[in-house]
C-alpha cells in the first residue's frame, strides 16, 4: 500500500504543480507510476470544475468562466500538456523526416504550427465548455483524457532512446484503476458521455497513427498532446450530444 501511495505521489509531482510532499528514497520508477496518471486527473478536473462552477454560480458569463477555468487548469498542470501539443504540431507539421521532426520537438521555441494548434484548441475548449455550461464533465474528461494519454504511452513504442516516452514505457498495461474511475465519472453523463468517450478515442487513435507514421512512436510531447486534444474532442462531442 505504501508503495502504491508513493507511486501516486510521483504521478502528482510529475503531472502537476500541486504540493505532494518530498519523495523519499527509494523513489519509484516513473513506469511504475503510470497507473496513477488518470487518477491525477481527478485532482486537476476537480480544480477546473470548481472554478467554473463557482464563477457561473456567481453570475459570470459562461465564456469568461471557461477562460478562467482553463487558466486554473494550466496553472495546476504548469501548461505541461499545452507545451506538448505545441511541440508535436511543430514537429509533425514541419519536420522533413523523422529525425528532423524529433529535432523540432526538442526545440523549446514555438513555431507557426504550434501557435496555431494552441490557438485553435484553446478556442474550441473554451467555446465548447461555455456551450456545455456544466462543471461535472470537466472532472470526467480530465480523468478520461489522461487514460487516453496512458494508452498512447503504453501501446506505442518509444520514438527515442531517452525521455518520458522511454522512461515511462513498460510491457504491462496498467489500465484498470484509471478505466474504473473514468467510467464511473462518465456514467452520470449518460449517452452524451458515451459519445464524448468515442470522440476522445477517435482523436487519440488519429494522433497515435500520425505519430507512429511520422516519428515511429510516442514521446512525452505526444502523450501531452493526446491529453489536451482528447479532452477538447470530448467537450466538443458533448456540445453536439
Amino acid at each position: 500500500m505504501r508503495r502504491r501511495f508513493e507511486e501516486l505521489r510521483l504521478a502528482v509531482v510529475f503531472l502537476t504543480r500541486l504540493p505532494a510532499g518530498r519523495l523519499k528514497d527509494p523513489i519509484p520508477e516513473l513506469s511504475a507510476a503510470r497507473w496513477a496518471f488518470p487518477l491525477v486527473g481527478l485532482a486537476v478536473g476537480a480544480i477546473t470544475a470548481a472554478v467554473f462552477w463557482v464563477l457561473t454560480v456567481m453570475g459570470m458569463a459562461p465564456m469568461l468562466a471557461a477562460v478562467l477555468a482553463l487558466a486554473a487548469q494550466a496553472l495546476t498542470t504548469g501548461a505541461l500538456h499545452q507545451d506538448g501539443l505545441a511541440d508535436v504540431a511543430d514537429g509533425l507539421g514541419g519536420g522533413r523526416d523523422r529525425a528532423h521532426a524529433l529535432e523540432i520537438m526538442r526545440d523549446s521555441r514555438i513555431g507557426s504550427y504550434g501557435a496555431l494548434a494552441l490557438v485553435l484548441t484553446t478556442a474550441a475548449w473554451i467555446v465548447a465548455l461555455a456551450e456545455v455550461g456544466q462543471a461535472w464533465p470537466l472532472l470526467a474528461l480530465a480523468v478520461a483524457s489522461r487514460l487516453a494519454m496512458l494508452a498512447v504511452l503504453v501501446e506505442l513504442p518509444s520514438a527515442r532512446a531517452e525521455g518520458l516516452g522511454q522512461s515511462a514505457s513498460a510491457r504491462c498495461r496498467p489500465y484498470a484503476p484509471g478505466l474504473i474511475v473514468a467510467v464511473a465519472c462518465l456514467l452520470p453523463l449518460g449517452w452524451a458521455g458515451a459519445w464524448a468517450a468515442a470522440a476522445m478515442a477517435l482523436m487519440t487513435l488519429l494522433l497515435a497513427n500520425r505519430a507512429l507514421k511520422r516519428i515511429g512512436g510516442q514521446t512525452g510531447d505526444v502523450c501531452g498532446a493526446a491529453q489536451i486534444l482528447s479532452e477538447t474532442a470530448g467537450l466538443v462531442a458533448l456540445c453536439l450530444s
Side-chain angles (χ1 to χ4, degrees):
M1 182 62 71
R2 177 177 175 79
R3 180 171 62 88
R4 290 300 187 190
F5 180 69
E6 290 300 310
E7 291 168 359
L8 176 59
R9 288 177 61 203
L10 176 59
V12 172
V13 169
F14 183 75
L15 293 179
T16 75
R17 297 297 181 265
L18 297 174
R22 186 179 181 86
L23 294 171
K24 298 180 180 179
D25 291 328
I27 298 175
E29 295 288 335
L30 186 57
S31 59
R34 299 174 307 162
W35 66 270
F37 286 2
L39 274 62
V40 174
L42 282 173
V44 177
I47 292 171
T48 311
V51 170
F52 183 73
W53 179 77
V54 169
L55 293 178
T56 52
V57 167
M58 291 173 60
M60 183 176 288
M63 191 75 74
L64 182 55
V67 171
L68 295 178
L70 183 58
Q73 183 193 81
L75 287 173
T76 302
T77 64
L80 180 67
H81 309 302
Q82 284 86 354
D83 179 69
L85 172 63
D87 288 341
V88 167
D90 281 332
L92 300 188
R96 294 187 301 270
D97 51 33
R98 178 180 181 275
H100 189 222
L102 288 171
E103 180 183 351
I104 290 174
M105 290 167 66
R106 283 189 183 279
D107 194 333
S108 60
R109 294 170 296 181
I110 298 179
S112 56
Y113 284 106
L116 185 59
L118 286 176
V119 169
L120 293 178
T121 303
T122 299
W125 196 100
I126 290 171
V127 173
L129 177 57
E131 182 68 22
V132 171
Q134 299 178 30
W136 179 264
L138 290 171
L139 182 64
L141 297 183
V143 176
S145 61
R146 282 160 181 81
L147 184 63
M149 178 179 72
L150 176 60
V152 170
L153 180 62
V154 172
E155 301 301 333
L156 291 187
S158 176
R160 293 194 179 106
E162 75 287 336
L164 168 65
Q166 192 280 331
S167 63
S169 61
R171 291 184 178 277
C172 63
R173 291 176 166 81
Y175 293 130
L179 184 61
I180 292 171
V181 176
V183 170
C185 292
L186 287 168
L187 276 177
L189 300 178
W191 282 109
W195 284 113
M200 297 173 78
L202 178 59
M203 177 60 74
T204 304
L205 284 172
L206 290 174
L207 174 64
N209 183 64
R210 180 65 173 168
L212 189 60
K213 287 182 177 180
R214 292 286 280 116
I215 60 175
Q218 49 79 12
T219 66
D221 288 331
V222 173
C223 294
Q227 188 281 317
I228 193 64
L229 287 175
S230 62
E231 185 176 71
T232 304
L235 277 172
V236 172
L238 288 176
C239 287
L240 302 176
S241 301

Short mmCIF file of all heavy atoms in Angstrom, two decimals, residues 143-172:
data_model
loop_
_atom_site.label_atom_id
_atom_site.label_comp_id
_atom_site.label_asym_id
_atom_site.label_seq_id
_atom_site.Cartn_x
_atom_site.Cartn_y
_atom_site.Cartn_z
N VAL A 143 -10.17 12.90 -16.26
CA VAL A 143 -9.74 11.52 -15.99
C VAL A 143 -9.60 10.74 -17.29
O VAL A 143 -8.58 10.08 -17.54
CB VAL A 143 -10.73 10.81 -15.05
CG1 VAL A 143 -10.34 9.35 -14.85
CG2 VAL A 143 -10.80 11.52 -13.70
N ALA A 144 -10.63 10.80 -18.14
CA ALA A 144 -10.64 10.02 -19.37
C ALA A 144 -9.51 10.43 -20.32
O ALA A 144 -8.91 9.60 -21.00
CB ALA A 144 -11.99 10.16 -20.07
N SER A 145 -9.20 11.72 -20.36
CA SER A 145 -8.14 12.19 -21.27
C SER A 145 -6.76 11.73 -20.80
O SER A 145 -5.87 11.50 -21.62
CB SER A 145 -8.17 13.72 -21.38
OG SER A 145 -7.95 14.33 -20.13
N ARG A 146 -6.60 11.57 -19.51
CA ARG A 146 -5.32 11.05 -19.02
C ARG A 146 -5.25 9.53 -19.18
O ARG A 146 -4.15 8.98 -19.23
CB ARG A 146 -5.10 11.50 -17.58
CG ARG A 146 -4.65 12.95 -17.52
CD ARG A 146 -4.85 13.63 -16.18
NE ARG A 146 -4.41 15.02 -16.27
CZ ARG A 146 -5.15 16.01 -16.79
NH1 ARG A 146 -6.36 15.76 -17.26
NH2 ARG A 146 -4.68 17.25 -16.84
N LEU A 147 -6.39 8.90 -19.28
CA LEU A 147 -6.41 7.48 -19.66
C LEU A 147 -5.99 7.35 -21.12
O LEU A 147 -5.26 6.42 -21.49
CB LEU A 147 -7.81 6.90 -19.44
CG LEU A 147 -7.97 5.40 -19.69
CD1 LEU A 147 -7.13 4.60 -18.71
CD2 LEU A 147 -9.45 5.00 -19.57
N ALA A 148 -6.44 8.29 -21.96
CA ALA A 148 -6.01 8.30 -23.36
C ALA A 148 -4.51 8.52 -23.46
O ALA A 148 -3.82 7.87 -24.27
CB ALA A 148 -6.76 9.40 -24.12
N MET A 149 -4.00 9.43 -22.65
CA MET A 149 -2.56 9.68 -22.62
C MET A 149 -1.80 8.42 -22.22
O MET A 149 -0.77 8.08 -22.80
CB MET A 149 -2.27 10.82 -21.63
CG MET A 149 -0.82 11.14 -21.46
SD MET A 149 -0.53 12.51 -20.31
CE MET A 149 -0.92 11.70 -18.75
N LEU A 150 -2.32 7.72 -21.23
CA LEU A 150 -1.71 6.47 -20.78
C LEU A 150 -1.71 5.43 -21.89
O LEU A 150 -0.73 4.70 -22.08
CB LEU A 150 -2.44 5.94 -19.55
CG LEU A 150 -1.98 4.60 -19.00
CD1 LEU A 150 -0.52 4.65 -18.58
CD2 LEU A 150 -2.86 4.17 -17.82
N ALA A 151 -2.80 5.35 -22.63
CA ALA A 151 -2.89 4.38 -23.73
C ALA A 151 -1.83 4.65 -24.79
O ALA A 151 -1.20 3.71 -25.31
CB ALA A 151 -4.29 4.43 -24.35
N VAL A 152 -1.62 5.91 -25.13
CA VAL A 152 -0.58 6.26 -26.10
C VAL A 152 0.79 5.87 -25.57
O VAL A 152 1.63 5.31 -26.29
CB VAL A 152 -0.63 7.77 -26.42
CG1 VAL A 152 0.59 8.20 -27.23
CG2 VAL A 152 -1.90 8.11 -27.18
N LEU A 153 1.03 6.15 -24.30
CA LEU A 153 2.31 5.83 -23.68
C LEU A 153 2.58 4.33 -23.67
O LEU A 153 3.70 3.88 -23.92
CB LEU A 153 2.33 6.38 -22.25
CG LEU A 153 3.59 6.15 -21.42
CD1 LEU A 153 4.78 6.83 -22.06
CD2 LEU A 153 3.38 6.64 -20.00
N VAL A 154 1.55 3.55 -23.40
CA VAL A 154 1.71 2.10 -23.26
C VAL A 154 1.74 1.40 -24.61
O VAL A 154 2.57 0.50 -24.85
CB VAL A 154 0.59 1.52 -22.38
CG1 VAL A 154 0.62 -0.01 -22.40
CG2 VAL A 154 0.71 2.03 -20.95
N GLU A 155 0.85 1.77 -25.51
CA GLU A 155 0.66 1.00 -26.74
C GLU A 155 1.64 1.34 -27.85
O GLU A 155 1.90 0.51 -28.72
CB GLU A 155 -0.77 1.18 -27.24
CG GLU A 155 -1.85 0.74 -26.25
CD GLU A 155 -1.73 -0.73 -25.87
OE1 GLU A 155 -1.21 -1.52 -26.68
OE2 GLU A 155 -2.14 -1.08 -24.75
N LEU A 156 2.17 2.55 -27.87
CA LEU A 156 3.11 2.92 -28.92
C LEU A 156 4.54 2.72 -28.44
O LEU A 156 4.85 2.95 -27.27
CB LEU A 156 2.92 4.39 -29.32
CG LEU A 156 1.65 4.77 -30.06
CD1 LEU A 156 1.73 6.22 -30.53
CD2 LEU A 156 1.38 3.86 -31.23
N PRO A 157 5.43 2.31 -29.33
CA PRO A 157 6.84 2.22 -28.95
C PRO A 157 7.42 3.60 -28.72
O PRO A 157 6.90 4.60 -29.23
CB PRO A 157 7.48 1.54 -30.16
CG PRO A 157 6.59 1.91 -31.30
CD PRO A 157 5.20 1.94 -30.75
N SER A 158 8.47 3.67 -27.95
CA SER A 158 9.13 4.95 -27.72
C SER A 158 9.87 5.38 -28.98
O SER A 158 10.58 4.60 -29.60
CB SER A 158 10.10 4.85 -26.55
OG SER A 158 10.80 6.06 -26.38
N ALA A 159 9.68 6.64 -29.35
CA ALA A 159 10.34 7.15 -30.55
C ALA A 159 11.79 7.52 -30.28
O ALA A 159 12.57 7.72 -31.21
CB ALA A 159 9.60 8.37 -31.08
N ARG A 160 12.15 7.63 -29.00
CA ARG A 160 13.51 7.99 -28.62
C ARG A 160 14.06 6.95 -27.65
O ARG A 160 13.32 6.21 -27.02
CB ARG A 160 13.55 9.36 -27.95
CG ARG A 160 13.21 10.54 -28.85
CD ARG A 160 13.62 11.83 -28.17
NE ARG A 160 13.33 12.99 -29.00
CZ ARG A 160 12.34 13.85 -28.77
NH1 ARG A 160 11.54 13.64 -27.75
NH2 ARG A 160 12.15 14.88 -29.56
N ALA A 161 15.36 6.98 -27.49
CA ALA A 161 16.01 6.06 -26.56
C ALA A 161 16.07 6.63 -25.15
O ALA A 161 16.53 5.98 -24.23
CB ALA A 161 17.43 5.74 -27.03
N GLU A 162 15.60 7.89 -25.00
CA GLU A 162 15.58 8.52 -23.70
C GLU A 162 14.34 9.40 -23.62
O GLU A 162 13.60 9.53 -24.58
CB GLU A 162 16.85 9.35 -23.45
CG GLU A 162 16.91 10.67 -24.19
CD GLU A 162 17.16 10.52 -25.68
OE1 GLU A 162 17.72 9.50 -26.09
OE2 GLU A 162 16.76 11.43 -26.44
N GLY A 163 14.12 10.02 -22.45
CA GLY A 163 12.97 10.89 -22.28
C GLY A 163 11.80 10.16 -21.65
O GLY A 163 11.87 8.98 -21.31
N LEU A 164 10.67 10.88 -21.50
CA LEU A 164 9.48 10.33 -20.86
C LEU A 164 8.99 9.08 -21.57
O LEU A 164 8.66 8.08 -20.94
CB LEU A 164 8.36 11.37 -20.82
CG LEU A 164 6.98 10.84 -20.44
CD1 LEU A 164 6.99 10.34 -19.00
CD2 LEU A 164 5.91 11.88 -20.64
N GLY A 165 8.92 9.15 -22.90
CA GLY A 165 8.39 8.01 -23.65
C GLY A 165 9.13 6.73 -23.37
O GLY A 165 8.54 5.65 -23.36
N GLN A 166 10.43 6.85 -23.13
CA GLN A 166 11.22 5.66 -22.85
C GLN A 166 11.18 5.29 -21.37
O GLN A 166 10.99 4.14 -21.00
CB GLN A 166 12.67 5.89 -23.30
CG GLN A 166 13.53 4.63 -23.33
CD GLN A 166 14.05 4.22 -21.97
OE1 GLN A 166 14.25 5.07 -21.11
NE2 GLN A 166 14.24 2.93 -21.78
N SER A 167 11.35 6.30 -20.49
CA SER A 167 11.43 6.01 -19.06
C SER A 167 10.12 5.52 -18.47
O SER A 167 10.11 4.79 -17.48
CB SER A 167 11.89 7.26 -18.31
OG SER A 167 10.94 8.31 -18.44
N ALA A 168 9.00 5.91 -19.08
CA ALA A 168 7.70 5.50 -18.54
C ALA A 168 7.09 4.33 -19.28
O ALA A 168 5.99 3.89 -18.98
CB ALA A 168 6.72 6.68 -18.57
N SER A 169 7.80 3.81 -20.27
CA SER A 169 7.27 2.69 -21.04
C SER A 169 7.59 1.37 -20.35
O SER A 169 8.59 1.24 -19.66
CB SER A 169 7.83 2.68 -22.46
OG SER A 169 9.23 2.53 -22.42
N ALA A 170 6.71 0.39 -20.52
CA ALA A 170 6.90 -0.95 -19.96
C ALA A 170 5.90 -1.87 -20.64
O ALA A 170 4.98 -1.43 -21.32
CB ALA A 170 6.70 -0.96 -18.45
N ARG A 171 6.08 -3.17 -20.46
CA ARG A 171 5.22 -4.12 -21.16
C ARG A 171 3.82 -4.24 -20.55
O ARG A 171 2.87 -4.53 -21.24
CB ARG A 171 5.89 -5.50 -21.17
CG ARG A 171 7.14 -5.56 -22.05
CD ARG A 171 7.71 -6.96 -22.09
NE ARG A 171 8.88 -7.04 -22.95
CZ ARG A 171 8.85 -7.19 -24.26
NH1 ARG A 171 7.70 -7.27 -24.87
NH2 ARG A 171 9.96 -7.27 -24.96
N CYS A 172 3.70 -4.06 -19.24
CA CYS A 172 2.40 -4.25 -18.60
C CYS A 172 1.44 -3.14 -19.01
O CYS A 172 1.84 -2.06 -19.41
CB CYS A 172 2.55 -4.30 -17.08
SG CYS A 172 3.16 -2.78 -16.37
#
